[in-house]
């Protein structure tokens, strides 16, 4: 058995039962962003969370154990994503990458914005000209240190 | 002459004069994010904006004209960026890409978050455990239509 | 179960029953272009459309549900397509890409032609020197905005 | 001297003189699509056309000769284009590639739509919800023959 | 079922029955080059040809139908082929590619040698210093047209 | 100095003087195919041939010496060629590669068609439906030997 | 059935029976290098050799036939091998490639060292500072000919 | 100044003076294989060797210093070499890679053949059927150790 | 059967039984680093070690034999790893690669740090500002020798 | 001016003056590892450090300013390094990558070893069987947090 098989079972069950990630997240007791990433095989569950997911998706004890194993991360099948929604994010990194780098360094100096001590919040932003997707990313600034 | 040469002159002048993107943006009258992207060769200036930048960076009339030409966009030298700060953004797309896709579709249905009708705001977020980089991305949702 | 399995079943059934995409599209009530893309796993069906397709291709209730799930898009096995018919389209983008960019910008300014708010119409164009394929692409122009 | 140098001179002169491709095309006496592709180093000029372009862009006799040499075609710096406008076209090929293949074969049988005996027309399409880019592609159908 | 499965069955049957492509071609009534390409999943059969192949290779009615569906072409697993015999052909394109381009343009002007309106003939050429492989390629010249 | 610089000078001079490869080949006393490949930096000249080319293209003694140095071969800038004329040859290898392999092995057994003990002849083939490019490739068959 | 399946059966049987390539080669009557390459799916067996291998590895009549079919060659899963032992050979080609080219050309003129009319012998070379692997490669020199 | 510039000067001087690597090696007092690799920018010279090369190729004191700096190794412009002579070596690694691995492990156990504690000898091998290139590679066997 | 299948069984058993690599290593009698690499299919076991692992993971006699076969090494699915933990190591090689090269050469001269005669020790390093991962790598220096 | 030009000047001056990184580091007052990375264009200097380096390497005021600008990091010309010394490090990541991942997760849970809050120490380790390179890497463990 592999984590991928557990992920596929979760996705398959979600479609056949018509579940919503937001509802799954409420039962797990975490944000919809982190919970979805967990269900998609990118994060690691506590035993309690694995149990909750086990009940929702009908997972065996062994499948629940796999949810508690740290997975090999990376959710995309190609380095440059082909799916248009995900590509737009890649495009933002491509077009604005140097801009982001310049502005973070101007404010903080040399270092990075963590993708580990990190959280994300995705919301609908009502707009008369057409609703918008509003995303807040928050990552700890980690400075390069001299030694 | 190419746009790249104008970009390189702007960067070189910024270093030698010790300028800040935030100050440049104030004079241009736009956000620091858009203005920096313009200076780095990703956006297109109006004649007035080109004039303002011309004064700041000592650009000739021809160089100012190049700022008004739509550039070939994409600011990174490799498909997978090697710079650690930019890579972390690529990693977010890699690890969370499927999660972002799932949650936007759950809220909006099939479509994308625009990277064109789009804006970004990067701010310092004070935190006793270490300050954070807070980034807000806002893109219009564009639905796939049937025809 | 995955969307890919549904797509393969549709294609397999189409061959064994000798169906035509144009006829499928008429029953679905949409264009042959959009309907074919839907059947090939690139678009998302409404419940009614899924039902119609279910009848045509003998799909189970669960398979019909998968047609209503937003798919991971991208229909080609390699970044540069090897199939000669599809490659010719890639070649048009390669040879004429900069031309298309220049002329759209000359007419509209900085921005893009949407591939989401987009439709396509493929027709036979009779010609005594040999019939031609006539394709009309129509995409909304989306301007880059300053902020 | 290379064709690339001639192309760069043409682009550079166009920016500094503020010329328009549509006006250049009128003087050349061909469509704006073909003429722009010629100026961008993708097509081959007749001696008369080279002379006309020579006058417009101030090209030397040797530079005019280079316009009459068949160029090594392909206008993009990477297999997957990074520029958002051109990427959308690549995305259309990626998402709709199999659909285009299926529908042309359904209508014509095995063969391709020529990218050589080919023409393209790009127009603004007024639309109250936002103007559209309308593109007509016409390519001769070339059947695979048995032998 | 897919065309690939039909191809694999044909190859497998050919080995176990000890058939020759040249004999298969005679029964099909076409050249050995086109017939082999058809059997290897690159060309499209008429109903009669599919029947003949069905008899030779013991194909079911459904498998014969698949032979009549236009396949996704491209017979090699990697862009640069690893098999030495096929690599030598790739090497000819690599080493002589610019030469071929120059000489065809010198004779015909701008355009291409068609790979669709195309045929190939492979023969043994007796030679006292060691027999040679003699290959004749014939493709219609297609000129780029101005418009 | 490098061989590439000599090649570029030859090409540049050819354009400015309006020379033809066929005429160059006659003076060199070899086929137009081999002579063009030599001029394009893929083959090695004898001292006499270098002298003849030196006179035609105005090469210095040192440049003539470079023509006699075995070059690093391979004339294309990318593994998959972007130029449509050369791509069609790559496509032939892609679509017919396995066919060529099967037929040569059927006739000769395991081995290859040499790309070294090799020659090529490109001719116009008059045809009322449109002239054709006729190419004859001849390569010695080299058998894999057991040891 | 495919050649790959025969190769996998041979390897699997070798492990479970604890066989040695050197012993297999003796029974086949050829060198251990050629015989191993044959067993690993890179060479073509005669009917007698196939029979001998059939007895050693318990192959069916059909599997023995596959050993006599010319295989699609190339034994590595990636263009740059990840296995350290094989990578060192790749490194020799990378570091010494130009040296090998220069020295063979200095001795023989333009041409190649054949990888077809080729043999290899791998031996242990006793050395007090640590035994060495001694490999002799012998390939016929094939000159490029003028035509 | 870079090592590459020194390498280019050495190669250029070798051509204009008509030198031979074998003669250079004799003066340096090492094998022609190692000396050529040194001259091509892959190895590191002692001060005495740098002096000798300085005299032969007319190198300045600073250029001689660069010969004593450990270079960034790797002499090929692409991962898969396009030059036919070098490609044949790559092909040997591709076709025989697994065979080499099996036979070295059968003789020595787990470990590698060193490409550092390594030497190579290239010789002409007279043969009535056509002379051969004979290459002896000798590398220390390095065992993987347990810890 | 393949080594990969044995590796997958070991991993799967480890998850279902809740074993720890450190404990497995103690029973094997080697370091946790080497033992884990062995279990993950990168190293070769002695018959005794295979027996111990066989008992721990419930391996058959044939599976134990596979642990004693030298594996094809390389544990990552892509050249640039997508998993964040492993990517950080790749990043260290990317950012510090030239630094490591310079400092080892400054201390030892031309040569490499062996990855074969090599060991690694990973430990927790307590730190009030947050615990650290402390890794010691030790590899024999192997000098390039002249010959 | 670019940072790359400053790096090249530093390297060039180091060779012509015969400087050592260890000595440069002492004057800068930081470790040899960090200081070398700074000089090679991977780290950011304080004004004082830039002054010290300016004196050592004869840098202008503007060049010293560039040392204080955060650079675009990544020191290698290809994703898979060709230089043998650096490749061995890549190989360690390839062979031991999954092992490192497993052992860090076993000790710390889900998270990464930081490559930013990171330091490295390279030392000679005397050994009668041949001296070894001893490297200590220390990176803060950063846990993935739930949110």
């Amino acid at each position: 058995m592999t984590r991928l098989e557990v992920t596929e079972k979760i996705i398959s069950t979600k479609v056949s039962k018509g579940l919503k990630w937001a509802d799954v997240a409420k039962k797990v007791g975490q944000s919809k962003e982190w919970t979805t990433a967990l269900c998609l095989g990118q994060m690691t569950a506590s035993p309690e969370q694995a149990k909750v997911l086990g009940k929702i998706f009908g997972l065996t004890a062994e499948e629940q154990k796999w949810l508690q194993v740290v997975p090999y991360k990376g959710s995309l099948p190609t380095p440059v994503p082909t799916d248009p929604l995900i590509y737009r994010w890649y495009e933002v990194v491509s077009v604005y990458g140097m801009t982001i780098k310049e502005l973070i360094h101007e404010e903080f100096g040399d270092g990075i914005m963590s993708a580990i001590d990190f959280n994300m919040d995705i919301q609908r932003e009502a707009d008369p000209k057409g609703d918008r997707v509003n995303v807040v990313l928050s990552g700890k600034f980690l400075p390069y240190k001299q030694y």
Side-chain angles (χ1 to χ4, degrees), chain A residues 57-118:
Chain A
F57 294 108
L59 306 176
T60 66
E62 196 182 351
E63 288 165 340
Q64 293 179 29
K65 271 189 190 162
W66 271 101
L67 289 175
Q68 304 170 48
V69 174
V70 183
Y72 189 89
K73 297 181 174 77
S75 66
L76 304 178
T78 51
V80 176
T82 63
D83 182 78
L85 184 140
I86 301 178
Y87 183 82
R88 296 308 180 273
W89 279 70
Y90 179 80
E91 188 175 295
V92 165
V93 177
S94 168
V95 171
Y96 280 100
M98 292 303 286
T99 294
I100 294 167
K101 181 174 170 64
E102 287 286 326
L103 292 176
I104 294 180
H105 291 328
E106 185 162 301
E107 177 65 31
F108 291 90
D110 198 354
I112 62 152
M113 169 181 168
S114 181
I116 308 295
D117 188 336
F118 171 87

Side-chain angles (χ1 to χ4, degrees), chain A residues 10-28:
Chain A
I10 287 177
I11 293 175
S12 202
T13 306
K14 177 179 175 291
V15 170
S16 64
K17 290 201 180 173
L19 305 173
K20 294 203 160 233
W21 295 119
D23 297 335
V24 173
K26 261 175 226 151
K27 286 184 187 152
V28 171

